[in-house]
Amino acid sequence: MMRRVVRAALVMLLSLTVLTGIAYPLVLTGLAQVAVPGRANGSLLYAHGHAVGSSLIGQAFTNAAGQPLPQYFQPRPSASNYNALASGGTNLGPSNPVLLRSVARLARAYRAFNHLPPGTPVPSDAVTTSGSGLDPDISIANALLQAPRVAAARHLSPARVRALVQRYTQSRILGILGEPVVNVLELNLALNRVGRH
Amino acid sequence: MTVNDVAQFLVVVAALAVTVPLMGAYMARVYSGATSRLERVFRPVENLLYRVSGVDPESEQTWRGYVTSLLAFSAVSVLVLYGIQRLQEWLPLNPGHISAPSAPLAWNTAVSFVTNTNWQNYSGETAMSLFTQMTGLTVQNFVSAAVGIAVAVALIRALSRSRTATLGNFWVDLVRGTVRVLVPVASLAAIVLVAGGVIQNLDAPHLVHTVVGARQSLPGGAVASQEAIKELGTNGGGFFNANSAHPFENPSGFTNVFEIWLLLLIPFSLAWSFGVMVERRRQGIAILAAMALLWAGSVLPAMALEAHGNPLLGPGINQRASATVVGGNLTGKEVRFGAGPSALFNASATATSTGAVNSMSDSYTALGGGVLLVNMMLGEVSPGGVGSGLYGILILAILSVFIAGLMVGRTPEYLGKKVQAAEMKLIGLYILIVPACVLAATAISLSLPSVRASLLNHGAHGLTEMLYAFTSASNNNGSAFAGLNGNTTFLNTVLGVCMLIGRFALIVPVMAIAGSLGRKGRIPDSAGTLRTDTALFTTLLIGVTVIVVGLTYFPVVTLGPIVEHLVTHG
């Protein structure tokens, strides 16, 4: 009796594995690759014919020494330094002194880098790490505070840069879902295209 | 909380209001053996599964036969999943050449996915091969969900039938749930997710040269298919370490709300199915209302707390939402979702035993994190995991009837079934097992210095971190305060034991209760019957749920989140 039950359990598990573990993901992969290959393969963005990243995955805009480059909009701080194979947050609790010191330090650095007077309120997304460490977006306020610095570094008019920020702002889906945000990689790629002309 | 946060909450409520009755009625038909319009697709697949495994789909089982088959299936599942992980180096579809996880980690992961917990002491990107994710983890996402629903359905049959020795056939419930409910709905959901930007491929990480010339490896994987069943089956195990915070799992405000709806769908719908199957729809609605009120009562405060922000960041940081500022406590959160909807996700995932996160719970405000913890402590009934939520709340409903009966001196009965000593002993056991496991394991772990070293945060928050882990494991949730490093031999082993107890040490008494109730006849309602389909009963049920849990956990919750809140707010 027991042997029959165990045999049924094993065969049932293996047959359900064929259905749910092999047929299900493979059929869906096939469908996705035919219907929306761009999205199914990671929404890649290209420059000069080469993939430079994904519109969904944030990346760092720093020099070889890790210093932020003034000619690019800077993404949020990242717990994984935008290593897309090590997603995650800092997991620091709200009262952890390490978190509070880090936020204060990042706020000072943000004001200095963007030539803002001391004490200027900094949007919190600019000084906090995201959950994934790969957040591709920043808030509009964060982008607008960075715009004059980017314009100066590129010898563009601030109005022109602000117009680009507006163009690469994604509004709420159906006017309700999510938050209006600016995609940093798309915006920086657009800036590079302007710079080339 | 912004108007927009409330609007997104209402979108989820509206989507559920439309879909729950449809899904509930459909599942009632599936588990009553009714035929479907797609019979020509489903029937041959099912018959093949029955034939190869030597199951007679026409036969029924007693509660003992049912639970024996269930335990055998689960035991075999643990062994096979353990084996797949340990052998993944030599198995196909391992483009990243990932080596095998250690024995304690493989044990923890195998138990975790078989018990529908999906606690993860590993990082998905670098620890599990594509083969393991597909044939091991995705499979358990389906079948552990189907097992949970099967237990709930057996309990419903015990209540709806009169003087019955049998409660259905485990293999039939497992197969029909998988073939007719989980696979079709997950397939549709996966298509929606891919259209929303979730990846679905079989590629190794893709190396790109970024705008500034650095190298970045973008991961690949069959993510949408796993994401869909991860939410639908209230599993919660992320393809990636960051779970649903990862943009490849949850790319936008739309996918976020869609995933929240998906993880709430079956737990709420089963309450509707219950009403249909016992042929007293109002009984189902009374249960559904209790679940919904407990859910709303936890997600709304969590949203408000996170949208309010972290007061300790000081006046130099702008956390107030406006047309251009994404407000709230954004540490560990993605700006595309916003703080309120992030909390809506995590609170719904802890209330459903999904345990998925779209933001890092460890970085929530003290009370926001406390809400997540209490959601799990409620025993996962608001609305709880697939199946486990319904059988959990039905046990509490029977307890409520018993308490009310004591107060007014009536013989307690639920749906015409007398509640007597045999059932009440088993219910007492059911109520005590999980808190005993949580509190004892937390206390032992915190008393061992080597285990305390796994904590990232200290003080009251550190206590919460450890308590959260054992609450999550013992309630088969899988949500984590991820600062805790659970990948040690001690924690892998003990968390694994807690998960097994939290699943099977509850399923066995539930099935025994079902066996005992099934054998009884149904007494017709009389003037002396306590009605269980009224707003009064729903209120009583919520009260019993909160008080039974509150008295058990209140001291330790005081030492964790409440102390931290008092400290941070001076």
Side-chain angles (χ1 to χ4, degrees):
Chain A
M1 154 73 186
M2 205 53 219
R3 179 178 295 182
R4 222 188 66 227
V5 174
V6 171
R7 184 189 159 275
L10 186 61
V11 177
M12 188 63 88
L13 176 65
L14 296 181
S15 343
L16 286 172
T17 299
V18 175
L19 173 67
T20 62
I22 297 173
Y24 164 75
L26 291 186
V27 167
L28 280 164
T29 305
L31 276 176
Q33 291 294 333
V34 171
V36 278
R39 291 177 182 204
N41 291 322
S43 307
L44 298 181
L45 292 177
Y46 296 84
H48 314 294
H50 295 284
V52 292
S54 160
S55 67
L56 298 176
I57 303 285
Q59 57 180 249
F61 291 88
T62 51
N63 63 17
Q67 298 300 316
L69 293 167
Q71 68 271 36
Y72 288 113
F73 281 89
Q74 293 295 320
R76 298 179 67 189
S78 162
S80 67
N81 204 16
Y82 288 99
N83 175 353
L85 296 184
S87 62
T90 57
N91 290 311
L92 294 171
S95 58
N96 194 314
V98 178
L99 170 77
L100 304 178
R101 279 198 300 271
S102 138
V103 167
R105 183 173 47 74
L106 287 165
R108 280 196 303 275
Y110 184 87
R111 291 187 195 104
F113 188 59
N114 292 298
H115 316 294
L116 302 170
T120 309
V122 176
S124 69
D125 68 293
V127 291
T128 52
T129 55
S130 64
S132 63
L134 303 172
D135 197 334
D137 306 311
I138 55 177
S139 69
I140 300 168
N142 183 353
L144 292 177
L145 283 174
Q146 295 191 47
R149 179 205 82 225
V150 172
R154 287 180 177 262
H155 308 291
L156 292 170
S157 77
R160 179 115 196 241
V161 174
R162 276 199 303 273
L164 275 177
V165 168
Q166 198 167 24
R167 213 169 109 200
Y168 285 89
T169 298
Q170 299 164 354
S171 46
R172 292 191 171 103
I173 298 157
L174 304 174
I176 299 176
L177 308 179
E179 292 287 331
V181 290
V182 181
N183 186 296
V184 178
L185 178 55
E186 287 178 6
L187 176 60
N188 281 336
L189 283 173
L191 275 170
N192 276 358
R193 287 195 294 272
V194 170
R196 246 194 9 260
H197 292 152
Chain B
M1 194 157 41
T2 66
V3 173
N4 220 72
D5 292 344
V6 177
Q8 296 187 67
F9 169 78
L10 292 175
V11 166
V12 173
V13 171
L16 288 168
V18 173
T19 49
V20 160
L22 297 174
M23 185 73 181
Y26 176 68
M27 285 195 292
R29 286 172 54 80
V30 166
Y31 289 102
S32 306
T35 55
S36 131
R37 256 180 279 175
L38 292 174
E39 200 65 18
R40 273 189 299 182
V41 181
F42 296 147
R43 186 51 69 91
V45 176
E46 290 172 357
N47 284 344
L48 185 66
L49 288 167
Y50 298 141
R51 206 162 48 241
V52 293
S53 45
V55 167
D56 172 14
E58 303 303 323
S59 71
E60 288 226 343
Q61 296 170 309
T62 62
W63 81 266
R64 283 175 203 277
Y66 200 100
V67 86
T68 306
S69 300
L70 184 154
L71 292 175
F73 183 73
S74 301
V76 167
S77 292
V78 170
L79 290 176
V80 168
L81 184 50
Y82 180 86
I84 290 175
Q85 292 176 74
R86 298 286 284 163
L87 297 174
Q88 70 177 5
E89 275 177 272
W90 298 281
L91 290 168
L93 277 178
N94 187 359
H97 304 288
I98 298 171
S99 56
S102 70
L105 179 57
W107 144 264
N108 184 283
T109 306
V111 170
S112 175
F113 278 74
V114 171
T115 56
N116 199 257
T117 310
N118 295 34
W119 177 272
Q120 294 171 292
N121 275 339
Y122 61 89
S123 165
E125 290 92 332
T126 49
M128 298 293 161
S129 73
L130 259 174
F131 186 84
T132 307
Q133 296 252 27
M134 278 168 52
T135 66
L137 306 183
T138 302
V139 171
Q140 284 306 321
N141 277 353
F142 278 98
V143 298
S144 68
V147 166
I149 302 175
V151 174
V153 168
L155 180 59
I156 295 174
R157 290 192 188 114
L159 290 165
S160 69
R161 296 176 178 181
S162 189
R163 299 185 197 286
T164 177
T166 61
L167 300 172
N169 182 318
F170 169 72
W171 303 111
V172 174
D173 291 337
L174 173 71
V175 166
R176 286 178 76 92
T178 307
V179 172
R180 292 175 189 244
V181 179
L182 298 173
V183 170
V185 179
S187 300
L188 294 175
I191 291 168
V192 172
L193 289 172
V194 178
V198 179
I199 63 169
Q200 180 73 22
N201 60 56
L202 301 175
D203 301 337
H206 178 77
L207 181 72
V208 296
H209 293 272
T210 68
V211 173
V212 297
R215 294 149 72 91
Q216 189 181 40
S217 285
L218 300 171
V223 178
S225 53
Q226 188 165 324
E227 190 72 15
I229 188 60
K230 165 187 136 185
E231 316 294 5
L232 179 69
T234 65
N235 293 284
F239 197 95
F240 301 113
N241 187 47
N243 207 296
S244 295
H246 197 294
F248 278 171
E249 286 198 26
N250 194 358
S252 71
F254 164 72
T255 55
N256 189 45
V257 167
F258 181 75
E259 289 178 16
I260 294 169
W261 166 78
L262 193 60
L263 63 87
L264 292 163
L265 178 63
I266 291 184
F268 277 128
S269 298
L270 273 173
W272 189 277
S273 309
F274 161 70
V276 174
M277 290 176 79
V278 299
E279 292 173 342
R280 298 184 192 186
R281 216 157 280 210
R282 285 172 54 105
Q283 299 284 349
I285 293 171
I287 296 287
L288 183 58
M291 288 174 159
L293 290 171
L294 285 166
W295 170 70
S298 76
V299 295
L300 290 172
M303 290 174 75
L305 286 158
E306 293 310 304
H308 183 68
N310 179 357
L312 294 184
L313 296 190
I317 310 300
N318 187 356
Q319 301 182 77
R320 183 173 303 170
S322 72
T324 58
V325 174
V326 178
N329 172 26
L330 288 183
T331 301
K333 294 193 181 68
E334 309 286 299
V335 287
R336 63 187 177 280
F337 309 143
S342 294
L344 176 59
F345 187 109
N346 280 22
S348 297
T350 45
T352 53
S353 105
T354 308
V357 293
N358 76 347
S359 45
M360 296 301 130
S361 306
D362 217 341
S363 300
Y364 270 41
T365 60
L367 292 185
V371 170
L372 306 181
L373 182 62
V374 171
N375 270 344
M376 298 190 291
M377 288 173 167
L378 283 180
E380 297 298 358
V381 294
S382 60
V386 290
S388 59
L390 184 68
Y391 64 69
I393 204 160
L394 288 177
I395 296 296
L396 288 167
I398 297 171
L399 178 65
S400 305
V401 164
F402 178 76
I403 291 172
L406 286 184
M407 288 193 284
V408 296
R410 285 170 175 165
T411 314
E413 55 194 59
Y414 187 59
L415 299 178
K417 299 271 183 169
K418 264 191 197 157
V419 179
Q420 290 165 308
E423 292 85 35
M424 286 317 299
K425 279 184 200 158
L426 289 164
I427 288 174
L429 189 67
Y430 180 98
I431 301 284
L432 289 175
I433 285 173
V434 167
C437 205
V438 170
L439 296 174
T442 305
I444 292 168
S445 300
L446 284 173
S447 65
L448 299 172
S450 61
V451 182
R452 278 206 303 276
S454 282
L455 297 173
L456 172 73
N457 294 284
H458 297 283
H461 198 84
L463 170 69
T464 310
E465 226 167 54
M466 189 68 83
L467 177 66
Y468 199 95
F470 284 105
T471 305
S472 175
S474 308
N475 284 288
N476 294 157
N477 187 293
S479 175
F481 262 29
L484 178 80
N485 168 26
N487 189 14
T488 65
T489 304
F490 178 88
L491 284 174
N492 272 324
T493 311
V494 179
L495 287 166
V497 171
C498 282
M499 290 188 269
L500 277 183
I501 292 174
R503 180 75 163 179
F504 300 108
L506 298 192
I507 283 181
V508 174
V510 167
M511 288 303 301
I513 292 167
S516 167
L517 290 174
R519 280 192 297 274
K520 299 181 188 203
R522 284 176 80 162
I523 310 161
D525 286 356
S526 70
T529 306
L530 173 75
R531 290 189 59 183
T532 52
D533 57 355
T534 59
L536 181 67
F537 182 74
T538 297
T539 313
L540 177 71
L541 176 54
I542 292 172
V544 166
T545 305
V546 172
I547 289 166
V548 166
V549 171
L551 291 180
T552 315
Y553 291 109
F554 186 69
V556 72
V557 171
T558 308
L559 292 174
I562 294 178
V563 162
E564 190 187 7
H565 175 77
L566 294 176
V567 169
T568 54
H569 286 69

